[in-house]
Amino acid sequence: MTLAAAPSPSVRVRAPGKVNLSLRVGPVEEDGYHPLVTVFQAVALVEEVTATEVADGAGISVTVEGPQADRVPLDATNLAWRAAELLAEHVGISPDVALHLAKGVPVAGGMAGGSADAAATLVACDALWGTGLSRGELSTLAAVLGSDVPFALLGHTAVGTGRGHLLTPAMSRGEFHWAFATRDEGLSTPAVYRRFDELCGPTAPPVDVVDDNALMQALRAGDPSALGAALHNDLEPAALDLRPELERTLEIARNGGALGAMVSGSGPTVAALARSRQHALAIAATWTAEDAADSVWCTTAPAAGARVL
Ligand code: C5P
């Protein structure tokens, strides 16, 4: 009789994508980054990362599943790979792990799917390897990987300053309904920031937290109409300049009664805030019927940060 080999231990972690309800961008600094004041909200479109033990010295491997899996790199340029490598280096162990990513956040759409993979990988490898880092330590490593990674760890709703990585949790009541229109051809975040510099760089006013009082009030009240009116994205003119066809996607959402519509983050995804799930589905259906999106997604917000399943 042969005994079946015991399955390798594995840890599965879920982390959310995000929408920037407000994104205010200041003039570029000497290090090439822009100071931000942003209000993040995590959405229920999620990434799931499974980290599985492999033999000592086997190194890191990445596999991917999901509707846009073919667009995700499987090498050391993948942010999940870099997250595992960074954590191993930080604690002084060999980075041996098989990472499997199940992608539920649109790829290269300004919704931080790659950042969610990185956040989930930090939590998964920390549990698998028994390294026992605190959330604060994981957040410090997350900020090294990318400006949006600390928020994918935290989830819910938060104000981000600095590069977007210094987070203060914010209160939000109830559930908001969103429709997202994505494009197969992504937009490079650095290219959008460069266009922002060309359009309004030196004259961009310094960013200020108090600008978002109406937005914070709308969140506290759980008032979708007030939230829709307060949505704001300083990168939208740059994204529209690079991809003028997004104007029509915005217009269709507004004509469909969206409470607010904007480019999401650095784009090219367009986000529309709806009155209800049915309303979000109707906006998404119109985008599809009018060929104003390559894919459409409906979801709710806020959602929890990275957590072990
Ligand atoms: O931090 P992350 O790797 O996500 O940033 C990607 C690029 O976006 C940066 O290299 C930079 O060009 C731009 N960026 C910026 N200011 C920020 C965040 C990102 O200019 N606050």
Side-chain angles (χ1 to χ4, degrees), residues 28 32-36 115 143 145-148 162-164 189-190 193:
V28 65
Y33 278 83
H34 297 72
L36 305 181
S115 299
L145 294 163
S147 310
D148 291 337
R163 294 177 177 186
T189 301
Y193 275 105

Side-chain angles (χ1 to χ4, degrees), residues 6 33 58 61 72 81 109 111 120 136-137 147 152 174 190-191 193 252 272 276 295:
Y33 278 83
S61 65
V72 179
W81 181 305
M111 295 184 70
E137 287 171 301
S147 310
Y193 275 105
I252 289 169
S276 62
S295 304

Side-chain angles (χ1 to χ4, degrees), residues 127-141:
L128 187 74
W129 294 336
T131 43
L133 267 58
S134 68
R135 277 275 161 161
E137 287 171 301
L138 290 176
S139 189
T140 302
L141 293 181

